[in-house]
Amino acid sequence: MAYFDKVLIANRGEIAVRVARGLRELGISPVAVYSDADREALHVRVCDEAYHIGPAPSAESYLVMDRILEVAHRAGAQAIHPGFGFLSENAVFARAVTAAGLTWIGPPPGAIEAMGSKVLARETMIAAGVPVVPGTDALSDAAAALRAAREIGFPVLVKASAGGGGKGMRRVDDAESFVAAFDGARREAANAFGDDSVFLEKFVVKPKHVEIQLLSDTHGNHLHLLERDCSVQRRHQKVVEEAPCPVLRADVRARMGEVATRAAAAVDYVGAGTVEFLLDIDQNFYFLEMNTRLQVEHPVTEMITGVDLVEWQVRIAAGERISFAQGDISPNGCSIQCRIYAEDPAMNFMPSPGHIQYLATPSGPWVRDDSGVYSGATVPVHYDPMVSKLVVWGKDRATALRRMKRALGEYVVRGIHTNIAYHHAILDHPTFVAGTHDTQFLTRTHDELVAACEVQDAEVDDIALAVAAIASMQRDQDAAGSHAAPAGAMGNPWKLQGRFRRLAR
Ligand code: MV4
């Protein structure tokens, strides 16, 4: 591919590394940017060039548009890939990139804006024949809103138009508590987003979060790449994702995909995007929002479709036509992703940044670790605590589950806390194993999951002590001239994990 020689990645961490890999496979030289906190970061090391853009706080580095554009010019990059988060869904930045004579590897700014307002997005979707949850337009009068709520029927949700990802949402169960909740939601939205528009939706009970991956080119082709089930979430942070959705009926899958491509066409979408749906117990589905970016969980889609989403983002930005048809896409096996966070489940999931003293990452058949760190790296306090995504593929879901357990068992991280034990607990839970879990799964099972990982951590601490003791004895023996093999300060982490797995069952 000869469209770009150099592309600047306006991001950090594992996604910057993922994008750099994709660019390099296309023969494009990746250019990194970094803050003070990221001088030694992996994304800097894997790129051909790296440019310092400011102090650690992202408001003074990864979010400073002018500095990033200036670096792109200095480096001679022809395009910018924004990754996710930071500036990826910023229409102002998308326009500035184009105005600077560079190619924006992302959707048109108009599509970003159309989906940025939830009220506008709902209207657009209704006009396009996409099912939405029964609800209203923006409302400002509490009395009128209460009448609308009675008509919809309780429970209802008050949602902020500028919200998303669960911010500015309130559930109201009865008329008595409605007005206070409505006014509270408006104040909250005004404070959080500088926009107090709110609207109502019927509250969908026990939904799954199922989303459709989309790919659209500049020639008017809109394809979908099947669905992901992202119902395992904690405080609106996804923890485990999988493709396909284990309970979705084939006819519902086909309709959901078709509806999602209609949503993309309605906003003249270009590039990779995702339409989120709520799936209720009867497999009715409703549009929630559209994410106008590559998503954290994109690898599970890549694994079951064989389509490299970063490659296609670049090809589409260069004006290429999508070379495959909808009929070419069908789900092959099952893929699961566990997000590895630097956090401590035993301390209410408090972030656990710091120096990674030792790291052994899983590999082997059908295992992919999209990581942003390395042994000896430091996880800064300033950014999202996600350090890697462990992804597996299996010919069916049972195989993928066993493979993920095996891969998690190979993961060794010393120096910081991680949620690896928590993942073991999730993967062992009968509701998750059955695939029937909904968006409240982690809330309902909180106590048992945290208890399960505390047991595992206690075992690991015991084993770590034993390993340290053996290592110390070994050093004494070595000093005395014994020819026994040195154990090393870390002991044998593989063996340790083997015991860990047996105990965790
Ligand atoms: C809902 C809902 C139930 N009914 N809307 C949360 C994030 C935002 N994208 C929308 N969200 C929800 N909207 C109606 N009408 C439940 C949620 C919800 C949720 C959705 C997806 C994934 C996890 C969730 C956790 C709690 C609530």
Side-chain angles (χ1 to χ4, degrees):
M1 182 147 122
Y3 302 96
F4 309 117
D5 308 311
K6 258 191 203 187
V7 170
L8 181 139
I9 304 164
N11 215 300
R12 64 175 306 283
E14 66 82 20
I15 193 58
V17 175
R18 163 71 186 93
V19 172
R21 284 175 167 148
L23 293 172
R24 211 179 273 295
E25 288 179 13
L26 290 166
I28 299 169
S29 172
V31 178
V33 294
Y34 63 94
S35 70
D36 283 347
D38 279 335
R39 287 181 187 283
E40 313 266 319
L42 183 61
H43 78 277
V44 169
R45 297 189 174 188
V46 302
C47 288
D48 288 336
E49 296 165 51
Y51 294 82
H52 180 248
I53 51 165
S58 44
E60 298 169 52
S61 49
Y62 296 106
L63 291 172
V64 182
M65 304 184 199
D66 290 346
R67 202 154 317 145
I68 292 168
L69 289 173
E70 189 237 311
V71 163
H73 281 300
R74 191 143 41 99
Q78 294 113 20
I80 295 185
H81 192 303
F84 46 65
F86 293 134
L87 296 168
S88 61
E89 293 182 279
N90 188 316
V92 172
F93 185 58
R95 286 201 180 90
V97 169
T98 311
L102 303 166
T103 299
W104 166 247
I105 304 180
I112 299 176
E113 282 164 344
M115 290 300 177
S117 152
K118 305 299 151 214
V119 168
L120 177 59
R122 257 180 75 89
E123 281 173 24
T124 312
M125 292 305 104
I126 292 168
V130 174
V132 300
V133 187
T136 70
D137 279 345
L139 294 165
S140 50
D141 179 62
L146 175 55
R147 281 195 299 279
R150 285 188 200 276
E151 209 159 296
I152 293 167
F154 290 98
V156 298
L157 266 183
V158 187
K159 292 187 174 183
S161 181
K167 269 179 265 167
M169 244 177 37
R170 295 227 185 158
R171 175 183 168 156
V172 191
D173 288 308
D174 49 52
E176 290 66 51
S177 51
F178 182 81
V179 172
F182 182 80
D183 289 338
R186 289 191 65 191
R187 269 196 308 276
E188 216 172 274
N191 286 333
F193 313 112
D195 172 1
D196 70 355
S197 9
V198 298
F199 64 104
L200 303 185
E201 276 185 3
K202 172 90 185 151
F203 183 80
V204 178
V205 179
K206 298 194 171 182
K208 266 184 174 291
H209 170 132
V210 179
E211 58 185 32
I212 298 280
Q213 176 68 53
L214 292 162
L215 214 47
S216 304
D217 64 22
T218 54
H219 307 275
N221 298 305
H222 302 283
L223 272 68
H224 76 84
L225 298 173
L226 309 165
E227 81 283 3
R228 299 182 283 258
D229 186 333
C230 308
S231 302
V232 182
Q233 305 199 7
R234 193 184 156 272
R235 300 191 175 178
H236 304 293
Q237 286 272 33
K238 292 167 187 163
V239 179
V240 179
E241 301 103 331
E242 64 182 297
C245 168
V247 298
L248 196 65
R249 297 200 314 258
D251 60 314
V252 182
R253 166 176 301 126
R255 264 190 295 124
M256 196 184 267
E258 192 270 317
V259 158
T261 57
R262 252 189 283 156
V267 295
D268 295 320
Y269 202 77
V270 176
T274 297
V275 176
E276 296 183 1
F277 294 100
L278 289 178
L279 179 75
D280 74 14
I281 219 85
D282 302 315
Q283 303 219 353
N284 299 303
F285 60 86
Y286 309 95
F287 172 86
L288 254 193
E289 46 194 76
M290 180 168 183
N291 300 312
T292 53
R293 57 165 193 274
L294 183 71
Q295 289 199 262
V296 180
E297 58 272 27
H298 77 274
V300 294
T301 296
E302 298 185 321
M303 302 294 261
I304 67 155
T305 61
V307 174
D308 182 327
L309 286 165
V310 172
E311 174 188 346
W312 277 103
Q313 284 189 297
V314 176
R315 287 185 182 280
I316 286 166
E320 261 190 47
R321 221 173 251 283
I322 299 171
S323 67
F324 49 88
Q326 192 62 62
D328 299 331
I329 301 298
S330 61
N332 177 26
C334 168
S335 180
I336 304 173
Q337 168 173 294
C338 287
R339 297 190 187 193
I340 310 300
Y341 288 106
E343 66 182 15
D344 187 357
M347 294 282 279
N348 197 28
F349 299 89
M350 190 196 288
S352 177
H355 181 240
I356 299 175
Q357 292 163 359
Y358 178 81
L359 180 69
T361 56
S363 59
W366 294 290
V367 172
R368 162 176 173 182
D369 184 45
D370 273 25
S371 178
V373 297
Y374 53 88
S375 205
T378 296
V379 181
V381 297
H382 307 84
Y383 314 108
D384 187 282
M386 190 179 76
V387 292
S388 94
K389 302 174 323 204
L390 180 58
V391 186
V392 303
W393 180 89
K395 66 183 192 302
D396 51 33
R397 190 167 185 265
T399 308
L401 280 173
R402 282 195 304 271
R403 182 160 288 142
M404 182 60 89
K405 289 283 291 174
R406 185 271 286 174
L408 285 167
E410 289 180 17
Y411 227 125
V412 183
V413 188
R414 297 281 174 261
I416 59 171
H417 292 279
T418 74
N419 64 339
I420 289 169
Y422 184 63
H423 279 302
H424 276 288
I426 292 170
L427 265 64
D428 284 340
H429 197 284
T431 305
F432 181 79
V433 171
T436 55
H437 56 288
D438 60 60
T439 56
Q440 292 307 297
F441 168 65
L442 289 186
T443 306
R444 277 194 297 265
T445 56
H446 176 274
D447 290 355
E448 50 180 313
L449 294 182
V450 169
C453 48
E454 275 171 6
V455 169
Q456 294 173 27
D457 282 342
E459 300 290 355
V460 169
D461 287 348
D462 283 353
I463 297 163
L465 274 176
V467 168
I470 293 164
S472 157
M473 280 160 44
Q474 200 81 52
R475 279 194 299 277
D476 292 348
Q477 273 183 24
D478 292 349
S482 154
H483 292 285
M490 291 300 162
N492 179 343
W494 291 80
K495 203 156 182 180
L496 183 156
Q497 292 295 304
R499 245 207 89 192
F500 169 88
R501 197 197 64 237
R502 281 195 299 280
L503 290 164
R505 255 211 280 269

